[in-house]
Amino acid sequence: MESLQQQIEGVVDSILEDYRHRRDIDQMDLFRQPDREIIIDIIAKLRRIVFPGYFRDKNYQVYNARHNLSMLIEDVMFNLSHQIALVLQGTGVEESQAQNQGEQICISFFGQLPKVRELVQTDLQAAYAGDPAATGNGEIIFSYPGLFAIMVYRLAHVLYTLNVPVIPRVMTEHAHSVTGIDIHPGATIGAHFFIDHGTGVVIGETTVIGERVKIYQGVTLGGLSTRGGQSLRGKKRHPTIEDNVTIYANASIFGGETVIGRDSVIGASAFITSSVAPGTRVSIESQPLRYRTNPTEK
């Protein structure tokens, strides 16, 4: 009878043999893959840049803010540019060129941080104005999952628009795992955006959301059908939500041609697959049959 050690060696041999099939899951070149833990650490450091007085190093002092900010940016620059270079190499870019591109992308990214912070400020204002339970900005910044998910999305969206592969999605999927809010980095979201409660929210890649939009937990802004698979890449698959729209809990809105007109209110659990005129109030009771189309139908 084989010893336990021999049995373990047999298992190792069988798995190594399985690796030789050269499938996608058999990839062994780990050094050219992004490091998820490093990306999560980058998010934490970017959060300190976005909210300098809330998530600061314990040794931080106002009078040496420049020094602390310089150290943070150098740290993020080094790690983020390296992660970007890795994913670029994975697309076939030569190593030295990937490193140069990674550094230039980081410079462009940091150049857009003031705009990101301006948008996050409007999101913070929207959260405070929209939630009577909020006692102050600090409570929202420290504890509201919606604000965290939106902040990560806004940072990831900048990298997405700079054509960085993989990393933006790793960022938003980290926020998804922490908050239950799934925002694709490719979505376009205007200022003063508020997600109340948040768990179960899904916002697809080609979603367009205007300004001063408020949504509640369980809302899905999704694609009408997934049967087209990769053939649908690059096409508008998700709805457009115009300015000043409120969408209540568990409402589902599907389709790239679906537009929710400005100043509309979508009631809880509504199921919508066609456009809604501006100023409309939609509830389950008021929905015409066309709003109940099966989302798997063409």
Side-chain angles (χ1 to χ4, degrees):
M1 181 177 178
E2 290 184 330
S3 68
L4 178 59
Q5 183 61 40
Q6 289 173 322
Q7 293 179 62
I8 291 173
E9 290 175 358
V11 170
V12 170
D13 289 340
S14 68
I15 295 175
L16 285 173
E17 181 62 31
D18 190 56
Y19 287 165
R20 296 191 178 98
H21 286 91
R22 304 183 69 83
R23 300 160 298 190
D24 294 331
I25 62 172
D26 299 323
Q27 171 63 249
M28 297 287 285
D29 191 5
L30 301 178
F31 296 105
R32 292 195 177 183
Q33 304 301 322
D35 188 317
R36 185 174 182 273
E37 295 305 315
I38 290 177
I39 294 171
I40 292 172
D41 183 64
I42 287 170
I43 292 172
K45 287 169 180 170
L46 288 171
R47 193 184 195 189
R48 287 167 57 188
I49 294 174
V50 173
F51 301 106
Y54 291 89
F55 302 98
R56 63 190 188 191
D57 185 273
K58 64 181 180 181
N59 296 317
Y60 179 91
Q61 297 293 333
V62 173
Y63 59 78
N64 62 356
R66 183 181 186 86
H67 171 72
N68 283 276
L69 180 59
S70 295
M71 289 182 63
L72 267 176
I73 290 177
E74 288 176 10
D75 188 324
V76 174
M77 176 82 177
F78 175 81
N79 287 293
L80 182 57
S81 63
H82 180 62
Q83 295 301 306
I84 293 172
L86 288 175
V87 295
L88 291 176
Q89 288 177 66
T91 66
V93 178
E94 190 270 333
E95 183 175 354
S96 61
Q97 182 182 356
Q99 291 174 349
N100 290 334
Q101 288 185 20
E103 292 173 356
Q104 290 307 308
I105 288 170
C106 279
I107 292 297
S108 297
F109 171 75
F110 283 120
Q112 295 189 53
L113 282 188
K115 177 61 176 177
V116 170
R117 296 190 70 246
E118 179 182 344
L119 286 169
V120 172
Q121 169 66 20
T122 70
D123 300 327
L124 174 62
Q125 292 170 338
Y128 185 74
D131 185 4
T135 61
N137 290 334
E139 178 185 20
I140 297 168
I141 292 170
F142 281 125
S143 63
Y144 277 39
L147 186 67
F148 177 74
I150 295 166
M151 180 207 69
V152 174
Y153 150 77
R154 295 206 185 279
L155 293 166
H157 182 70
V158 174
L159 293 174
Y160 182 91
T161 60
L162 292 170
N163 298 313
V164 175
V166 184
I167 291 172
R169 195 66 185 273
V170 174
M171 293 172 68
T172 55
E173 286 302 327
H174 168 65
H176 182 195
S177 69
V178 171
T179 65
I181 298 169
D182 182 1
I183 309 177
H184 193 286
T188 301
I189 302 177
H192 297 273
F193 183 49
F194 178 36
I195 301 175
D196 201 355
H197 305 297
T199 305
V201 166
V202 177
I203 299 175
E205 178 186 19
T206 61
T207 303
V208 176
I209 297 175
E211 297 190 353
R212 301 184 185 280
V213 170
K214 179 179 182 180
I215 67 178
Y216 286 79
Q217 70 273 16
V219 168
T220 297
L221 306 178
L224 190 60
S225 173
T226 59
R227 288 186 293 179
Q230 288 295 317
S231 66
L232 298 175
R233 179 180 294 275
K235 297 180 180 179
K236 181 78 164 69
R237 309 184 305 280
H238 305 94
T240 295
I241 313 299
E242 294 185 344
D243 297 348
N244 304 313
V245 169
T246 298
I247 307 174
Y248 283 99
N250 300 313
S252 298
I253 304 172
F254 293 95
E257 296 182 0
T258 302
V259 178
I260 306 301
R262 63 178 296 125
D263 302 310
S264 293
V265 176
I266 308 301
S269 301
F271 193 97
I272 299 175
T273 59
S274 56
S275 295
V276 171
T280 301
R281 299 180 70 87
V282 177
S283 65
I284 294 178
E285 292 77 12
S286 69
Q287 287 186 84
L289 183 60
R290 64 193 180 94
Y291 289 153
R292 297 177 181 171
T293 304
N294 188 322
T296 63
E297 293 179 356
K298 285 288 189 181

